[in-house]
Amino acid sequence: MKIIAIAAVTAGGKTTAVNELKRKLKNAESLHFDDYSFEGEVDDFHQWVLAGANYNVWNLKPFEDDIINIINSGKYEYLILDYPFAYCHQMIKKYIDIAIFIDTPLDIALARHILRDMGNSDGEEIRKELKGYLKYARMGYEQMLKDILPSSDYIIDGSLDANKIVGELIEIIENI
């Protein structure tokens, strides 16, 4: 079994890419980081970055348990992780065969976030979100660009069309 971790900033295209990969690859399963609640989960990314951005504060045991269960099932050729940390979390990195970072420009990720998550919001709510992004959240995204992007095996241009991103992912995966 090959385990592929797909990372990107929030709204960077991870879930879209993972879901499409799972559909296109034969014998593939996926796990999605956002489907879990973790002990030690960071609530304040601004403070987390200021404190040194320790990715290991998350207790990823439930995620690890599911990885192990899928490996032990023997049913799949690929396990695709919708997982933001690449090799930066000690507990999970030992399972990853290849880490791919979708390098989505922050303006595109922010626009996707607003369109995806704030469709029913009024102008004041969107302005509040943007102020929070500029003051706090952007720093967390920039930290990922400092840590996760360089620790990845491959980088894909996140400004590409989703079909092109998936095509590049498939090409990488088929050559591992």
Side-chain angles (χ1 to χ4, degrees):
M1 170 183 282
K2 297 291 183 194
I3 300 178
I4 301 103
I6 307 293
V9 298
T10 299
K14 293 181 301 295
T15 302
T16 299
V18 168
N19 288 341
E20 191 61 18
L21 279 173
K22 184 178 173 184
R23 193 179 73 72
K24 289 189 174 198
L25 293 172
K26 293 178 182 172
N27 293 323
E29 182 58 280
S30 63
L31 293 175
H32 300 263
F33 185 82
D34 289 345
D35 290 344
Y36 295 81
S37 292
F38 298 109
E39 194 176 296
E41 194 169 319
V42 173
D43 292 322
D44 186 338
F45 285 94
H46 179 76
Q47 284 303 316
W48 174 76
V49 170
L50 292 175
N54 179 3
Y55 295 91
N56 295 301
V57 298
W58 278 267
N59 178 358
L60 301 185
K61 185 72 173 127
F63 195 64
E64 180 185 40
D65 289 345
D66 285 348
I67 291 170
I68 291 167
N69 287 336
I70 290 169
I71 292 169
N72 289 340
S73 77
K75 293 181 185 178
Y76 303 102
E77 186 175 351
Y78 302 103
L79 173 55
I80 309 158
L81 305 177
D82 177 344
Y83 173 66
F85 300 154
Y87 296 112
C88 289
H89 193 286
Q90 295 302 311
M91 181 183 287
I92 302 302
K93 77 178 193 175
K94 63 189 170 200
Y95 299 104
I96 299 171
D97 294 301
I98 190 165
I100 304 168
F101 188 82
I102 301 172
D103 187 14
T104 304
L106 296 183
D107 63 322
I108 293 174
L110 177 60
R112 288 179 183 164
H113 163 64
I114 290 170
L115 292 169
R116 178 188 72 194
D117 300 332
M118 301 190 77
N120 295 323
S121 300
D122 63 24
E124 186 55 36
E125 292 169 320
I126 293 171
R127 280 188 290 282
K128 182 179 178 184
E129 182 74 12
L130 291 172
K131 286 177 185 175
Y133 169 82
L134 290 172
K135 189 171 183 179
Y136 303 112
R138 190 176 200 298
M139 181 186 285
Y141 297 159
E142 289 173 334
Q143 190 67 43
M144 288 189 73
L145 298 176
K146 290 177 190 172
D147 299 335
I148 308 302
L149 184 147
S151 78
S152 298
D153 299 304
Y154 293 91
I155 313 300
I156 293 180
D157 180 356
S159 66
L160 296 173
D161 172 84
N163 290 326
K164 288 182 181 177
I165 290 171
V166 171
E168 286 190 24
L169 288 167
I170 289 172
E171 187 175 319
I172 291 167
I173 291 166
E174 287 177 345
N175 289 311
I176 57 172

